[in-house]
Amino acid sequence: MSTDTIVEVTGLEKAFGHLEVLKGIDMTVSRGQVICIIGPSGSGKSTLLRCVNLLEEPNGGKVVVNGYELTDPDCDLDKARTGIGMVFQSFNLFAHLTVLDNLTIAQRKVLGRDKAEAERIARLNLEKVGLAEKARSLPAQLSGGQQQRVAIARALSMEPEVMLFDEPTSALDPELVGDVLKVMRNLAREGMTMLVVTHEMQFAREVADVVLFMDQGVVVEQGPPAQVIGDPREERTQTFLSRVL
Ligand code: ADP
Ligand code: MG
């Protein structure tokens, strides 16, 4: 594994009962890279992402992130996961906590930061996502796009080495998508390592270093966006793109 490899997935297999969802996935991510994962619904994209932080336990293969082998039964998963931020389609904010408290709670409980330090880092990240003035709001007082930006700021407040995004804009009204993508573009520009499951082909084209096309539990094709999206080699990729572009 080269020194700038941050995520290394080898021969990853996952089944739910008899349903084989991941059938031997290999994926290498270098520090600072943006990988966009595209593919039809049900192809295993979310399951792959969830295996990267072991929210799903694989049936076979190996997952190494940031030097931790998460698939090793002796791995300290809590410790390994502090380096991995995740943002879901459905925000998952704590509804009864203010935005600021949403951003400080894990910093305090998991990282042991004191209140002042956690709030300082939280405010920096709220600033970064353009929501500094919403610190005292409750999630329900925000639009979906703002809630998702809070979710991103919350993940960033843990100062992760890599960020996983699972269709972060899919639940949003169309006019709110742009603000979230802008935050993600800026993050990419700052050098954050990102794995992004997305249907936003324009975003993938502009921001991804590597696009990975999945279908039926395998990586059908991967490479730079100009190749995978612009000039796909595989028929399955062509068919998928003709439906979404
Ligand atoms: P995608 O994100 O590409 O739409 P998923 O990874 O969510 O695909 O799902 C891949 C397949 O695995 C689907 O057939 C889905 O129904 C199935 N699946 C996902 N999670 C579970 C689960 N917890 N239990 C049973 N089947 C699941
Ligand atoms: Mg999914």
Side-chain angles (χ1 to χ4, degrees):
M1 180 153 141
S2 97
T3 50
D4 72 341
T5 299
I6 179 159
V7 178
E8 178 106 278
V9 168
T10 9
L12 187 67
E13 294 171 10
K14 174 67 186 174
F16 294 107
H18 293 295
L19 182 68
E20 288 177 49
V21 173
L22 301 177
K23 304 169 185 168
I25 304 279
D26 297 317
M27 176 175 74
T28 302
V29 185
S30 300
R31 223 168 259 282
Q33 268 191 329
V34 177
I35 311 292
C36 284
I37 302 167
I38 63 171
S41 178
S43 56
K45 305 179 300 296
S46 294
T47 305
L48 169 59
L49 221 56
R50 291 166 61 81
C51 282
V52 169
N53 57 11
L54 236 73
L55 283 178
E56 296 289 353
E57 200 174 336
N59 300 97
K62 200 167 146 181
V63 175
V64 182
V65 182
N66 207 19
Y68 291 96
E69 185 183 338
L70 284 91
T71 38
D72 178 342
D74 295 329
C75 180
D76 181 345
L77 284 180
D78 289 338
K79 208 164 178 194
R81 285 183 183 132
T82 62
I84 309 173
M86 184 147 188
V87 173
F88 302 89
Q89 188 173 331
S90 53
F91 330 139
N92 298 353
L93 298 174
F94 299 114
H96 61 294
L97 296 181
T98 64
V99 165
L100 191 65
D101 289 343
N102 264 279
L103 267 66
T104 55
I105 187 166
Q107 293 188 66
R108 300 186 64 190
K109 290 200 165 153
V110 179
L111 303 180
R113 287 181 184 149
D114 66 38
K115 187 164 187 264
E117 175 69 352
E119 290 192 354
R120 187 185 66 80
I121 292 170
R123 287 183 189 282
L124 282 177
N125 284 301
L126 280 179
E127 185 96 33
K128 186 177 269 194
V129 302
L131 291 173
E133 77 286 6
K134 299 293 186 189
R136 297 292 171 196
S137 302
L138 288 168
Q141 297 169 315
L142 306 179
S143 74
Q146 290 172 331
Q147 290 186 49
Q148 190 59 300
R149 286 186 281 148
V150 170
I152 293 171
R154 179 175 61 176
L156 292 175
S157 295
M158 301 298 282
E159 301 182 320
E161 302 283 333
V162 52
M163 286 279 288
L164 314 179
F165 292 89
D166 192 356
E167 298 198 33
T169 60
S170 294
L172 301 179
D173 291 333
E175 75 273 19
L176 304 177
V177 168
D179 287 340
V180 172
L181 293 180
K182 189 169 131 200
V183 165
M184 293 171 65
R185 265 195 196 92
N186 287 340
L187 263 186
R189 215 170 278 145
E190 285 175 14
M192 177 60 78
T193 310
M194 297 164 54
L195 267 72
V196 186
V197 173
T198 188
H199 292 294
E200 296 288 339
M201 291 303 139
Q202 193 54 37
F203 174 84
R205 258 180 200 269
E206 286 169 24
V207 181
D209 296 292
V210 174
V211 174
L212 198 144
F213 172 69
M214 281 183 70
D215 192 19
Q216 296 181 20
V218 299
V219 176
V220 174
E221 171 161 15
Q222 64 175 303
Q227 189 248 301
V228 176
I229 299 176
D231 186 20
R233 294 190 185 126
E234 302 292 331
E235 198 180 322
R236 278 197 271 177
T237 319
Q238 292 164 7
T239 306
F240 171 74
L241 288 170
S242 72
R243 289 199 193 111
V244 296
L245 285 180

